[in-house]
Amino acid sequence: MISKKLAIEVLNVSLSTGADYAEIFYEDSHTNNVSLENGKVETSSSNSLNGVGLRLLKENQCIYGYTNDLTKKGLLALANSLNKSFNGKQIVFVDHLDKVKAKERSKIKTDYDTVPLEEKIALLKDADNEILKLNDPRIVRRICSLNCWHRGVAVFNSKSKWFKRDNQWATYGVAVIATDGKGFEQGFARRGCQDDLTFFRQGDADIVKNANKAAKTALAMLSAPECPAGKMPVVIGNGWGGVLFHESCGPPLEASAVAKGLSFYKPEQVGTQIASKIVSAVDDSTIPYGWGSIDIDDEGNPGEKRVLIKNGILKEFMVDDFNGRRMNAKGNGACRRQNYRYIPTSRMSNTYICAGKSTREEIIKATKLGLYAVAFGGGQVDPSTGEFNFGCSEAYIIRDGKVCEMVKGATLIGKGFEILKNIDMVANDLDLAEGFCGAASGRVYTSVGQPTIRVKECTVGGRGGELK
Amino acid sequence: MGKYDKFFASAKEAGIKEIELYIGEAHEVEVELFHGEIANYSDNNGMTVVARGIFSNGKCGAASCDTWNKEKAKYLIDEIVKNAKVIENEDPVFIFKGSDKYHKINTYNKALDEVPMETKIAKMKELEKAIKAEDKRVSEVGATFFSQSNSKHTLVNSNGLNLVQKSNYYYYGAEVIASDNGQTKSGFEIFFENDFSKFDVKALAKKCAESATSQLGGISCAPIKCKAVLDHDAVISLLNVYIGHADAEQVQKKSSLFAGKIGEQIASKKLTIEDKPLSKNPFARWFDDEGVATYNKPIIEKGVLKTFLYNLTTAAKDGVTTTANAQGAGSKKSTGPFFLTVKPGKKSLHELFAEVGDGVYITGVTGLHSGMNPQSGDFSLQASGFEIKNGKKGKPFDLITASGNLLEVFKDVQEVGNDVKVSPNGTAAPSLIIKKIGVSGQ
């Protein structure tokens, strides 16, 4: 840790040539990853991350640098190197630092470091045994892994604010690879939390239950036909299905794209209809123990529940203070980064489409011929054009209002702003799922989510010819 | 006494029989220009220290950190011991003593450091202006980038190995948005080198502008299976996943599509794919991440699979010599090519179009992490491209998917172009004619 006294000195040296804002981001994190392959512990490794990122702003300019030399000499050398970008006089002075007070919604209960490695391995072994119990010779690889991360952060900035943040995250992954001698298929399950590891023994997050599901998906995929291609109605499942909104509409609603006019959504569209009237969506950093939750963002602003879209009307963007300068807007607690090596910017946290009034059953029943996309492997979007793509890891054909055969290799492509207008049914079964989002400020923890929804028409890519 | 001898001695006291340190040190400068002004400037000094050691139980534990001091040295040793104690994998592990001979290659260009930062930034401003001047339909240059990285990596171990390689490179790039008739398209291009004199502002500006403007006025595409020219960018994307199947570990774990196929014709006779770590370019690596001397080798020669890619562990399991393709740090090394190349043919891109007659020209594929099943090789990817009509490049397509299977695509190579492009991920490939590929769009 660095003392407040040293932080004040570093901030003043950073500001001495005319920067209008300076900020020290101190990080001390450590991780432990353990993985099993076919029941045996294959790797176990530990990582420690300890450094400082220093950010100087002057109007619309950002100067950034990081160092692992955390001595007074090292930090002042960094400040003196970065302040050379400006040649004016000091206009902002720091003489004290006040602690930012925020609600602690995800307070650490049991430090993952105090959980014996053997206990973490036992969790994975239970999942592996469940797959083994299926006793199916087509399963050739079983990979189970657990990643635990403890992150300590302290931020000191020239607005005389300082705060500490202490969080921990854990995530497991189960991958099952099956072969029929001709090709391979994979089933995959992942869950994550900021809560105790016992979370992975319960309900929908139960590792054993999900390992069984992943194995069965891999096996079913072996005999599944290829997904047909073309335009069709697509019903998107709850939870993971939220990756559609995350990929297609999330990045264009972040100030990092909006501020420079690089998003297809413009600030002047706030208050206008951008989605179907039955669509409301939020980005909420305040969910207790939520995967993407933070109490205070990297600029010292408290985490918020940001209403992005209400009844189809664009309400607000996810904004950080720096990009907010170009938009005449204040940061709303969305500023994050992967670690001290990244320049922070506005990012999603827990982003989801709100529950509607239909039921899942009603939506399926109302669909004559189309695709039911249940789970996804991820995707990407170009915020300037809205073009997105994402691959389905579990999908079925709907015929005459019934879920029929499983298909493999389905990809959904389209333009986010068109999809939002094309949502014609929203169910009441909202669920969230934990993932990662990669962008300019690195890979951050984000939840996606939605209830079951239907998109009237979407382009589906696949190798199975026309849908009949 | 060596710099790390004390650390090695402490490790031995803790029961670690052999230990290795991988130390990466990098100085990176990144500049982003927006509307003629510097929007972001970052100047970073970073370090990565990865230690792995064979504990008295014969298992290999690993730990890493980003600072080198007494406290961290102790952390590394404690964590190696803790981790090694739980490992159950029975694969042989090695801390390498060193190869007899290394073919050293210089990957550090001192002249690049001598070019003043002002000159480097001035070129960015020129680039931004040149892109705007290139085409009226360029509506915005989102960001213009310059990045330079100087790095040094050291591999040192308690068996006497001590290898150091220094390298540097830079790149320029820009994100471009083009608009016309209410349609918006974006593009991105970069130039990567370690010789500053090779940077041509105009040439890059033209490519950047075209990457966006060429997609305007797109037409729809009904689902078809047809002959295609796969542009070098698309080839590079697919090739990296394809060659992943040459990883001996995947073969040994029964999840490679290349398993049992050494000596077999797995691809078109027109196709030769090599790993050339001893090329004279910024990608050159004269020792791999286990410290073994690297060498150039064909992976697929005239369509025949010649070798898998090995590290010391997977080679020992197969009773062969390592191909010196160990990559990464940590208790287990993965394998991969250092400079993957497709041997070029003689025909130009225009001659490839002429040979196809009517078909599609795929200029890029995206979404590999979601639309590619790396296990089966099946893919259905968002793509950009053009129609090929009467032997010439025609209109662009608006939002299409390209689908196929990797094994089939590389079996179906009809012709290899001469238009080699080197990508910053260390892959060089020309455009290819593929006999059949699935395309579908709106």
Side-chain angles (χ1 to χ4, degrees):
Chain A
M1 232 333 239
I2 37 183
S3 68
K4 277 204 282 180
K5 193 180 156 210
L6 177 58
I8 290 172
E9 191 175 347
V10 173
L11 289 171
N12 279 316
V13 171
S14 303
L15 296 162
S16 62
T17 55
D20 58 39
Y21 175 83
E23 160 201 281
I24 301 166
F25 181 87
Y26 169 89
E27 175 160 13
D28 187 4
S29 299
H30 46 273
T31 55
N32 175 252
N33 301 318
V34 55
S35 74
L36 252 64
E37 171 125 10
N38 293 342
K40 286 185 176 171
V41 178
E42 177 104 343
T43 61
S44 177
S45 61
S46 314
N47 175 248
S48 148
L49 210 61
N50 192 192
V52 157
L54 184 60
R55 186 165 71 135
L56 275 59
L57 304 179
K58 186 177 167 64
E59 294 160 6
N60 290 329
Q61 236 181 318
C62 165
I63 311 294
Y64 194 81
Y66 61 76
T67 183
N68 301 117
D69 183 351
L70 307 181
T71 61
K72 182 176 175 179
K73 199 177 147 200
L75 295 175
L76 290 175
L78 178 64
N80 274 311
S81 148
L82 299 183
N83 71 18
K84 285 196 176 65
S85 291
F86 308 121
N87 52 12
K89 282 189 180 162
Q90 186 162 355
I91 48 169
V92 178
F93 297 84
V94 184
D95 56 11
H96 71 283
L97 289 166
D98 296 324
K99 193 166 184 178
V100 180
K101 286 185 187 134
K103 271 190 185 170
E104 275 190 272
R105 297 185 187 89
S106 311
K107 204 171 178 177
I108 294 175
K109 295 184 219 163
T110 313
D111 189 334
Y112 296 152
D113 286 341
T114 64
V115 179
L117 206 42
E118 288 71 19
E119 204 173 301
K120 295 174 184 168
I121 292 166
L123 183 80
L124 299 177
K125 289 215 168 178
D126 287 348
D128 185 78
N129 274 329
E130 179 69 16
I131 307 165
L132 204 59
K133 269 200 267 172
L134 294 174
N135 198 19
D136 194 312
R138 291 174 298 171
I139 296 176
V140 288
R141 285 180 82 179
R142 315 180 305 273
I143 305 161
C144 306
S145 62
L146 180 72
N147 180 356
C148 297
W149 187 29
H150 185 120
R151 189 180 195 205
V153 161
V155 175
F156 308 86
N157 70 29
S158 60
K159 289 180 177 170
S160 292
K161 286 185 189 176
W162 89 278
F163 66 89
K164 268 167 77 171
R165 226 172 42 204
D166 217 10
N167 295 79
Q168 59 177 13
W169 290 267
T171 178
Y172 71 75
V174 176
V176 182
I177 298 164
T179 183
D180 54 4
K182 288 176 276 181
F184 298 93
E185 291 298 339
Q186 178 174 307
F188 186 74
R190 179 174 64 210
R191 287 305 302 257
C193 69
Q194 288 202 51
D195 210 335
D196 281 356
L197 294 178
T198 48
F199 181 78
F200 296 145
R201 297 280 192 188
Q202 303 159 9
D204 288 346
D206 185 351
I207 189 169
V208 172
K209 205 163 88 182
N210 287 327
N212 180 292
K213 212 172 149 196
K216 286 183 177 158
T217 305
L219 292 169
M221 294 271 270
L222 284 174
S223 50
E226 298 287 346
C227 182
K231 276 188 170 184
M232 59 189 82
V234 179
V235 176
I236 301 171
N238 66 348
W240 261 116
V243 76
L244 166 95
F245 184 78
H246 172 97
E247 293 295 346
S248 64
C249 304
L253 291 170
E254 290 168 344
S256 42
V258 181
K260 292 180 184 168
L262 305 177
S263 165
F264 57 82
Y265 292 126
K266 313 290 172 204
E268 55 270 25
Q269 276 173 282
V270 171
T272 65
Q273 193 87 32
I274 62 160
S276 153
K277 281 184 180 163
I278 53 170
V279 175
S280 292
V282 299
D283 179 65
D284 186 358
S285 319
T286 69
I287 301 171
Y289 294 96
W291 177 247
S293 298
I294 44 164
D295 296 326
I296 312 173
D297 80 350
D298 287 3
E299 288 172 331
N301 292 319
E304 284 184 25
K305 182 172 180 177
R306 291 162 285 267
V307 178
L308 306 172
I309 300 168
K310 187 148 194 208
N311 301 329
I313 292 172
L314 177 62
K315 297 304 253 187
E316 66 175 323
F317 298 105
M318 291 162 275
V319 189
D320 59 292
D321 280 334
F322 177 54
N323 279 300
R325 291 178 176 203
R326 290 182 197 270
M327 298 163 66
N328 272 332
K330 279 193 175 162
N332 53 18
C335 185
R336 293 165 78 199
R337 74 189 96 192
Q338 180 179 331
N339 60 46
Y340 70 91
R341 296 188 175 201
Y342 292 84
I343 305 176
T345 191
S346 49
R347 301 294 296 270
M348 285 178 263
S349 60
N350 305 300
T351 319
Y352 58 89
I353 295 179
C354 306
K357 288 182 180 151
S358 308
T359 64
R360 175 187 165 275
E361 291 69 31
E362 280 165 8
I363 294 180
I364 302 278
K365 210 173 164 189
T367 307
K368 197 162 167 38
L369 184 65
L371 186 75
Y372 179 33
V374 180
F376 297 90
Q380 65 190 64
V381 67
D382 179 339
S384 59
T385 61
E387 291 170 3
F388 68 81
N389 68 77
F390 51 106
C392 306
S393 55
E394 188 184 345
Y396 304 84
I397 298 296
I398 302 174
R399 294 177 195 283
D400 294 323
K402 283 186 187 125
V403 177
C404 295
E405 74 271 21
M406 181 188 239
V407 287
K408 63 184 176 190
T411 311
L412 303 188
I413 64 165
K415 291 173 184 160
F417 52 90
E418 285 175 5
I419 291 288
L420 276 187
K421 288 177 187 159
N422 263 327
I423 295 174
D424 66 351
M425 291 182 92
V426 179
N428 55 9
D429 55 347
L430 169 67
D431 194 15
L432 298 183
E434 304 84 20
F436 295 94
C437 176
S441 71
R443 190 169 177 259
V444 300
Y445 292 52
T446 51
S447 284
V448 301
Q450 66 169 42
T452 303
I453 61 162
R454 186 172 77 171
V455 179
K456 233 178 338 187
E457 192 177 67
C458 181
T459 301
V460 177
R463 305 171 67 215
E466 213 177 318
L467 174 64
K468 282 170 194 158
Chain B
M1 197 162 159
K3 191 178 169 188
Y4 303 104
D5 286 354
K6 214 173 154 189
F7 173 70
F8 295 153
S10 306
K12 202 158 201 175
E13 270 173 36
I16 300 168
K17 295 190 292 182
E18 298 170 70
I19 189 161
E20 169 196 279
L21 279 175
Y22 168 95
I23 298 151
E25 292 159 275
H27 176 221
E28 286 171 347
V29 176
E30 287 176 1
V31 190
E32 186 191 326
L33 197 75
F34 182 65
H35 289 180
E37 298 283 335
I38 292 172
N40 284 312
Y41 184 99
S42 61
D43 189 332
N44 305 309
N45 279 297
M47 191 182 200
T48 308
V49 182
V50 188
R52 62 180 191 125
I54 304 174
F55 188 57
S56 53
N57 64 355
K59 307 293 185 192
C60 188
S64 58
C65 61
D66 50 8
T67 324
W68 182 251
N69 57 32
K70 265 189 200 165
E71 185 201 332
K72 293 295 172 191
K74 186 179 179 313
Y75 166 82
L76 294 176
I77 290 171
D78 291 348
E79 293 296 310
I80 286 175
V81 171
K82 189 174 100 186
N83 289 318
K85 280 182 180 169
V86 298
I87 302 280
E88 295 167 329
N89 178 305
E90 279 152 17
D91 289 349
V93 284
F94 303 92
I95 301 290
F96 191 55
K97 288 188 170 64
S99 296
D100 293 338
K101 202 179 168 190
Y102 291 93
H103 300 275
K104 288 192 182 179
I105 284 189
N106 180 25
T107 46
Y108 176 71
N109 181 6
K110 201 176 164 214
L112 177 59
D113 290 346
E114 286 162 0
V115 179
M117 196 37 104
E118 291 74 24
T119 310
K120 289 165 180 164
I121 292 173
K123 290 270 182 198
M124 294 176 80
K125 294 187 176 173
E126 276 180 49
L127 178 64
E128 191 186 41
K129 271 190 190 161
I131 295 168
K132 282 184 181 154
E134 195 63 45
D135 196 309
K136 277 184 191 159
R137 295 170 301 168
V138 171
S139 52
E140 185 66 277
V141 180
T144 311
F145 298 99
F146 168 78
S147 176
Q148 184 179 330
S149 168
N150 287 21
S151 62
K152 179 177 147 188
H153 71 271
T154 305
L155 195 66
V156 54
N157 68 34
S158 58
N159 291 332
L161 188 83
N162 191 349
L163 301 168
V164 180
Q165 186 173 351
K166 273 175 82 178
S167 57
N168 62 355
Y169 67 82
Y170 71 94
Y171 68 81
Y172 279 98
E175 292 171 10
V176 178
I177 296 170
S179 308
D180 198 24
N181 285 331
Q183 195 186 28
T184 301
K185 289 285 174 184
S186 78
F188 181 74
E189 265 295 338
I190 72 165
F191 178 80
F192 179 92
E193 249 300 332
N194 75 353
D195 179 349
F196 199 74
S197 67
K198 286 190 181 163
F199 179 53
D200 180 344
V201 172
K202 273 211 139 178
L204 180 61
K206 190 165 188 275
K207 279 188 188 166
C208 287
E210 276 178 7
S211 67
T213 56
S214 66
Q215 298 178 59
L216 291 167
I219 54 170
S220 64
C221 174
I224 43 160
K225 280 190 178 171
C226 62
K227 216 173 244 195
V229 171
L230 233 58
D231 169 66
H232 37 222
D233 281 325
V235 173
I236 287 166
S237 299
L238 297 181
L239 193 64
N240 281 294
V241 187
Y242 182 64
I243 289 301
H245 286 274
D247 175 2
E249 189 183 351
Q250 301 304 317
V251 176
Q252 289 165 354
K253 290 185 167 164
K254 302 190 179 92
S255 53
S256 160
L257 295 167
F258 291 177
K261 290 185 176 167
I262 293 283
E264 280 183 30
Q265 188 84 40
I266 61 160
S268 157
K269 282 183 180 170
K270 299 263 182 184
L271 204 64
T272 292
I273 301 170
E274 298 164 290
D275 174 35
K276 296 168 98 173
L278 299 179
S279 300
K280 284 190 178 161
N281 62 33
F283 305 105
R285 284 291 305 271
W286 52 271
F287 60 91
D288 76 353
D289 286 343
E290 286 176 322
V292 183
T294 60
Y295 59 97
N296 293 344
K297 65 201 124 331
I299 303 168
I300 290 171
E301 193 167 32
K302 293 181 179 167
V304 176
L305 181 65
K306 301 304 276 187
T307 185
F308 298 127
L309 299 178
Y310 287 101
N311 57 26
L312 289 167
T313 295
T314 51
K317 284 175 83 176
D318 271 11
V320 297
T321 310
T322 175
T323 56
N325 283 98
Q327 282 188 3
S331 64
K332 269 187 67 184
K333 307 273 176 172
S334 57
T335 61
F338 288 103
F339 185 55
L340 186 64
T341 62
V342 173
K343 209 170 176 181
K346 290 188 176 140
K347 292 191 175 171
S348 70
L349 185 58
H350 295 290
E351 285 169 317
L352 297 185
F353 292 150
E355 190 170 324
V356 165
D358 290 318
V360 296
Y361 172 41
I362 307 283
T363 51
V365 288
T366 54
L368 273 109
H369 65 298
S370 57
M372 167 73 74
N373 178 338
Q375 298 297 329
S376 63
D378 291 338
F379 62 86
S380 175
L381 301 165
Q382 184 186 331
S384 49
F386 300 79
E387 58 176 358
I388 301 175
K389 228 173 177 180
N390 302 322
K392 287 195 173 124
K393 180 175 148 186
K395 287 184 177 161
F397 291 123
D398 187 26
L399 214 50
I400 51 167
T401 58
S403 61
N405 175 280
L406 281 178
L407 282 189
E408 291 164 24
V409 163
F410 288 103
K411 260 184 205 160
D412 278 350
V413 172
Q414 180 181 309
E415 197 53 76
V416 179
N418 63 5
D419 56 335
V420 177
K421 178 173 179 178
V422 181
S423 100
N425 72 354
T427 309
S431 298
L432 305 173
I433 294 181
I434 309 295
K435 286 176 197 162
K436 199 171 70 185
I437 206 153
V439 177
S440 163
Q442 291 180 312

